[in-house]
Amino acid sequence: MSRLRDQLHLPLDGELKSPMEGDAKPFEVFIQLVRGKPHVHAGTVDAVDPEMALQFAREHYGQDQACVHIWVVPRSAMLGTDYDHDVIWRSTDRSYKLARGYQVHNRWLEFRSKKDVKEYEKEDLKEHY
């Protein structure tokens, strides 16, 4: 925590000025472990402004595990569905749109067990290159 204090820009004269709201607000923290991969929820920090929330997130979540990117979002800015009233998946039968019932996996295993894969790859390479 002392490194965080050293990095904060505090006023030299007088007291610290607190924001009009007064209390810290919760910020949700999302981290990206590998560049190009999705961000995942890591936890929550309480801070008075987004800059402080980002600094807290860096200090806490950046030291726990290696991450390449951090997002902080005020919890009040997040919107979600209602468990009881919002239907995300249709209740009518639309199973015909799902790819079920195809037995391709079993056929592929049978094909591979016959050791014809190498022959197929040779023919495929001749046709395309």
Side-chain angles (χ1 to χ4, degrees):
M1 196 66 152
S2 61
R3 283 190 292 169
L4 178 61
R5 238 180 262 128
D6 292 341
Q7 293 175 5
L8 290 175
H9 302 287
L10 302 175
L12 297 176
D13 55 338
E15 300 178 3
L16 290 175
K17 296 176 182 160
S18 63
M20 295 296 284
E21 305 88 44
D23 294 333
K25 297 173 278 202
F27 285 81
E28 298 302 323
V29 180
F30 297 87
I31 61 173
Q32 185 181 37
L33 300 175
V34 178
R35 183 174 237 154
K37 299 289 184 182
H39 285 71
V40 293
H41 185 257
T44 305
V45 295
D46 290 326
V48 269
D49 59 11
E51 290 79 20
M52 182 182 278
L54 185 58
Q55 190 63 37
F56 284 160
R58 276 190 189 123
E59 286 290 321
H60 184 70
Y61 298 103
Q63 289 181 0
D64 289 349
Q65 56 189 330
C67 60
V68 295
H69 199 247
I70 299 176
W71 287 342
V72 290
V73 181
R75 187 179 290 163
S76 61
M78 297 180 77
L79 185 64
T81 59
D82 184 13
Y83 285 111
D84 298 325
H85 298 96
D86 291 337
V87 177
I88 298 171
W89 185 256
R90 297 175 189 249
S91 57
T92 57
D93 181 25
R94 295 177 59 113
S95 60
Y96 64 91
K97 290 191 161 265
L98 302 174
R100 292 185 184 156
Y102 296 105
Q103 301 300 325
V104 176
H105 180 69
N106 294 338
R107 287 184 193 169
W108 177 245
L109 290 176
E110 182 183 338
F111 178 73
R112 289 184 69 187
S113 68
K114 291 181 182 178
K115 308 228 187 281
D116 290 336
V117 177
K118 294 291 183 193
E119 189 63 34
Y120 172 77
E121 288 175 348
K122 288 178 188 175
E123 291 175 15
D124 189 47
L125 287 174
K126 286 179 188 175
E127 288 178 17
H128 289 75
Y129 296 103

